[in-house]
Amino acid sequence: LTLAVVLPQHNLTYPWAWPRVGPAVRLAAAAVNSRRDLLPGFTLGWVFGNSEDRHGVCSEMAAPLVAVDLWLAHHPAAFLGPGCVYSAAPVARFTSHWQLPLVTAGAEAHGFDDKSEEFGLTPRAGPSHRKLGELGVQLHRRFNWTRRALLVYWDERVDDRPHYFAAEGLYVQLPTLSNLTVMDVVFRHGGNFSFIIQEIKAKGR
């Protein structure tokens, strides 16, 4: 019985990088195999594929190619990872087509909440940005913030865009409050901060 692991191989800026997760995978496999009552007649093994590109960042191109290679070569029973949003999405579409589960600690974006179709077999073991949005709704109710919400976030449009997807959870959930206007201001490295302050001043009141 094979588990296919698709994670960043070296980049420790990701909490799900292989040097962090690998020891747990090895320990888990050893623990399962030491208990013959858990998977009688089977031995659990794993194969690894790197989801990084040549620059060491999560790749929406490398991850699905690696996943297809592992599926064709090893016929895994399940996938572990990827964690990055842009890497996890295409791999999850493949694993859904293959009717295999993809377990991830990442994939926090709001789109992964839809379990009716392509992400129906993608359980997440980590937090989701929808929960952040629900927290924002509860805070607005608690403090009676009922007119306007302004989301200000950093977005370089590179790598996995964590601030964009975090803001998305709030952007989608806050409009569930009646008559609340939700607006956003994006800033980037080298941006015009005077303009941003004026935008906050104009849109935040």
Side-chain angles (χ1 to χ4, degrees):
L1 199 61
T2 302
L3 176 68
V5 183
V6 182
L7 295 171
Q9 187 169 6
H10 303 291
N11 191 337
L12 292 176
T13 62
Y14 301 114
W16 43 77
W18 178 243
R20 300 180 191 279
V21 177
V25 171
R26 294 187 184 97
L27 286 171
V32 168
N33 291 330
S34 69
R35 299 239 342 241
R36 291 298 172 186
D37 58 315
L38 289 179
L39 293 172
F42 293 95
T43 299
L44 180 62
W46 51 268
V47 290
F48 176 80
N50 183 13
S51 64
E52 294 175 0
D53 65 12
R54 61 189 179 89
H55 302 292
V57 297
C58 283
S59 170
E60 66 267 30
M61 184 177 72
L65 292 177
V66 165
V68 170
D69 286 344
L70 293 177
W71 181 69
L72 289 172
H74 301 282
H75 306 289
F79 278 76
L80 177 64
C84 299
V85 170
Y86 287 121
S87 300
V91 176
R93 293 184 183 105
F94 278 125
T95 57
S96 176
H97 175 68
W98 300 328
Q99 293 293 295
L100 297 175
L102 183 156
V103 180
T104 178
E108 311 98 323
H110 199 274
F112 288 91
D113 293 332
D114 184 2
K115 302 301 181 186
S116 61
E117 293 185 14
E118 57 191 2
F119 301 127
L121 294 173
T122 308
R124 294 176 293 180
S128 74
H129 293 319
R130 178 177 57 83
K131 290 296 184 183
L132 175 63
E134 291 173 356
L135 172 64
V137 169
Q138 293 302 317
L139 287 172
H140 276 70
R141 285 181 176 149
R142 172 68 178 82
F143 294 105
N144 198 30
W145 297 333
T146 56
R147 291 188 301 166
R148 185 170 296 191
L150 179 65
L151 306 177
V152 183
Y153 60 94
W154 180 278
D155 185 19
E156 285 290 343
R157 296 189 179 182
V158 294
D159 197 10
D160 215 38
R161 301 178 72 187
H163 308 108
Y164 169 83
F165 286 113
E168 180 195 34
L170 291 161
Y171 195 85
V172 172
Q173 292 295 321
L174 286 175
T176 61
L177 294 164
S178 298
N179 299 319
L180 181 72
T181 300
V182 181
M183 307 182 80
D184 67 298
V185 174
V186 183
F187 64 97
R188 299 179 178 90
H189 181 71
N192 185 337
F193 290 98
S194 296
F195 173 77
I196 293 168
I197 291 170
Q198 291 303 315
E199 284 283 282
I200 294 171
K201 184 178 179 181
K203 294 180 179 179
R205 297 181 179 178

